[in-house]
Amino acid sequence: ARLEMRRRCTWRIFQSIEYSCEQDQIKLHNFFSYLMDHFTPSSSKERDFISRMLTEEESYKDTELEKLCDYESVEVPDSYTGPHLSFPLLPDHATALLEAFKQKHQLHAHYVLKLLHETRRHLMQLPNINHVSTCYSEEITVCGKSGRDLPFVPFSLCGICLYFLFSYVFNGDFVDRGKQSVEILIILFAFLLVYPKEVHLNRGNHEDHMVNLRYGFTKEVMQKYKVHGKKILKMLQNVFCWLPLATLIDQKVLILHGGVSDMTDLELLAKIQRHKFVSVLRGKKRKEKSRRVDSKAINGESPVGVDPPRSSSFPGSCLQPGLASTASTASRTELSQWVRQTVQEELEKCRRQVGFCETPGDKELTCASSVTVTESELESCETSESSQEEWKQIVDILWSDPMPQEGCKMNTVRGGGCYFGPDVTEKILQKHSLQFLIRSHECKQEGYEFCHNRKVLTIFSASNYYEIGSNRGAYVKLGPDLIPHFVQYQANKTAHTLTMRQRISRVEESAFRALREKLFAHTSDLICAFKGYDQDETGTITLSDWATAVESVLHLGLPWRMLRPQLVRSTAGGLLEYKSWLDDLAVEQRSKEHIQSSLLETIYRNRSNLETIFRIIDSDHSGLISFEEFNQTWKLFSSHMNIELTDDGISDLARSIDFNKDGNIDFNEFLEAFRLIEHTHCDDKAAEMAVSGCPNS
């Protein structure tokens, strides 16, 4: 019983931290999107550059894509010893790839681009919802996330090579959070082309270039294909958006990555032009429309504040406020002030959501802003209702999770999609005459789990997802009777040698290490929260107050009182000396990196966001920020933070960050500059405190 309790607590830690990171990703993207939606470029060149940062071409003409792909221009040298591919692919090619990847060989960029080109051509012919029949295939195997286990892929696919009667459905999340995502994707695409009637791929929420920026796939591609990585990433973006959204077995079993909502409509899903949604995080399609302002606003009366529309699929998102336009030049100045104030208020909301703290002068700066709003700025983008509905349909099936309670509500834990209850599931099943749903999206300790009266089956195929021994992988086989038969496994040999106690201890240690890093990253906020309970300034608080304060800062929904013995080693009389406890956390992290504690806290808190920001600015995925990219991005920020810099000033700033003077800014230089800025900020604060006679706490 104690081991089971430890196992469950460990699991909650891992999941809470994982979902917290997904929230950060969505908030960060929304923040950049908001900046871009309210940025007025001074030239067409500037507009084109800024639009490339977070947006991609929704669709390419065949001629444009062939030029982009251009695999024929990528020569394969005679010295290349890896696998060779010729098209159309044959079974021997696919099995040769498996063997080559087992031997740590890499497929040449020429063959990767050609494979992606052929995969896209095949996917374009497929419907949004694939239909698979057990009459044609004696048995259908459904696999969940496989982005970590390369050994799993040949293990499950070997049946295709021997038995052509079997079909396979891979339910999304082929990439990210693993070191071999490229190889897994290549294997899946190769088998898809060799056996187009037997292999079926659904899109997951990680088949999205914006998600790839944060979770490692973009970085992996650029590391493995330094010369042609940019071409490969562009092709992958276009391939991902052509992946089918769902699969239907015998018209009775619906397979989709995330789940459903009370608005899910399979008929509408079947009609959506799925390739238009290159990134689901980008939100909806928009069209330019002029809107008339309320007569009160035109007549000079105080206009009612307009809140930005909120998406039930992305609860934390800051989408475009509906700005007004007017034909009256007399009231333009007044209206301009209202618009500017509304925009700045929403910008500050976004910045606070993302965690960008407001400096003491920010508020005055915002109020004193003298940005001129032109007539074109006052013409806003109004969301197309049909496109918005299509976008929401896709978001819900890729990001949603089931919940035990009835109803449908926003998924505030992940930051995207929704939570759907048993009643929502039953409604969908009855409406479309289905027996049950199969979905993935959530790691399960046994590799699978039923809920909603066994009407929803979660299947997760990546074993050891959080740590070696943390979970099994599983896939499910369905015959003509549609009765699920499960196969569970551990892809890591070490996991087989561990006892249950050893396995739980190992996973528990990893979970608490991650949690202590999370706590350390919020040291400053925790001190403020602890002081709120330490009114007498004794430096101690009760353990109950400690638990309440920690949750108020981290918002992880964890049972802190139960976790306290692993996090708080010593207490005196039931009281915790919180400063010494935080010092112990700092010592533990400093033992890994020799950095000043306050700087290290900032790095731990922001490194993931900083790396994502770096890759967003690095719009051509070169691994380097050019001075032009830096220049345009700085204009984007400064236009909303009322910081005026000349082009020469921005260039000087870029050169100061380019420590090795090679004309570009790499991530280490970017991170180092951030640390230096933080260091200067801390020194300035200390100096201010010293002048005012305040203790530097």
Side-chain angles (χ1 to χ4, degrees), residues 135-155:
C135 294
Y136 173 78
S137 175
E138 293 180 0
E139 184 178 82
I140 298 173
T141 299
V142 182
C143 310
K145 179 180 177 67
S146 54
R148 274 185 181 266
D149 288 343
L150 182 59
F152 160 72
V153 179
F155 173 73

Side-chain angles (χ1 to χ4, degrees), residues 520 582-601 604:
F520 172 73
L582 291 170
D583 288 341
D584 290 341
L585 285 178
V587 170
E588 182 180 341
Q589 305 308 324
R590 276 204 302 270
S591 65
K592 304 177 198 174
E593 300 185 45
H594 302 289
I595 304 175
Q596 180 184 333
S597 179
S598 59
L599 295 183
L600 188 59
E601 174 196 342
Y604 265 78

Side-chain angles (χ1 to χ4, degrees), residues 543 564-565 567-577 580-581 584:
L543 296 176
R564 179 191 58 77
L567 298 170
V568 180
R569 301 298 171 86
S570 60
T571 59
L575 297 175
L576 170 67
E577 294 183 2
S580 62
W581 173 68
D584 290 341

Side-chain angles (χ1 to χ4, degrees), residues 93-257:
H93 294 132
T95 53
L97 276 176
L98 293 179
E99 294 303 318
F101 290 152
K102 287 180 183 178
Q103 302 301 320
K104 308 298 182 183
H105 291 170
Q106 182 171 300
L107 185 64
H108 194 274
H110 170 87
Y111 298 119
V112 175
L113 289 168
K114 176 64 171 173
L115 178 69
L116 294 177
H117 177 72
E118 295 297 326
T119 301
R120 177 182 177 273
R121 287 180 57 187
H122 172 70
L123 293 176
M124 289 175 64
Q125 301 174 34
L126 301 180
N128 291 348
I129 302 177
N130 267 322
H131 291 260
V132 185
S133 173
T134 55
C135 294
Y136 173 78
S137 175
E138 293 180 0
E139 184 178 82
I140 298 173
T141 299
V142 182
C143 310
K145 179 180 177 67
S146 54
R148 274 185 181 266
D149 288 343
L150 182 59
F152 160 72
V153 179
F155 173 73
S156 62
L157 279 172
C158 64
I160 299 179
C161 305
L162 300 175
Y163 307 105
F164 294 96
L165 295 178
F166 291 175
S167 289
Y168 291 76
V169 179
F170 290 87
N171 198 22
D173 276 14
F174 315 125
V175 300
D176 282 332
R177 290 199 178 102
K179 298 179 181 180
Q180 297 174 305
S181 294
V182 171
E183 289 77 12
I184 289 173
L185 205 58
I186 289 172
I187 291 172
L188 290 173
F189 288 165
F191 275 102
L192 174 68
L193 294 179
V194 174
Y195 302 103
K197 294 182 179 179
E198 288 80 15
V199 177
H200 309 276
L201 307 180
N202 284 348
R203 185 176 183 176
N205 67 311
H206 279 261
E207 278 68 65
D208 186 309
H209 72 90
M210 289 308 305
V211 178
N212 300 153
L213 285 172
R214 188 183 192 96
Y215 290 105
F217 185 56
T218 298
K219 183 177 180 180
E220 180 188 346
V221 172
M222 293 305 301
Q223 285 179 340
K224 292 180 178 178
Y225 296 95
K226 293 180 175 60
V227 177
H228 303 289
K230 289 182 284 185
K231 284 186 177 181
I232 292 173
L233 285 171
K234 288 286 186 182
M235 280 298 297
L236 280 168
Q237 290 171 14
N238 206 264
V239 170
F240 284 166
C241 69
W242 278 106
L243 285 167
L245 303 174
T247 300
L248 198 56
I249 300 178
D250 291 349
Q251 304 293 324
K252 293 295 182 184
V253 179
L254 178 64
I255 307 170
L256 31 71
H257 181 73

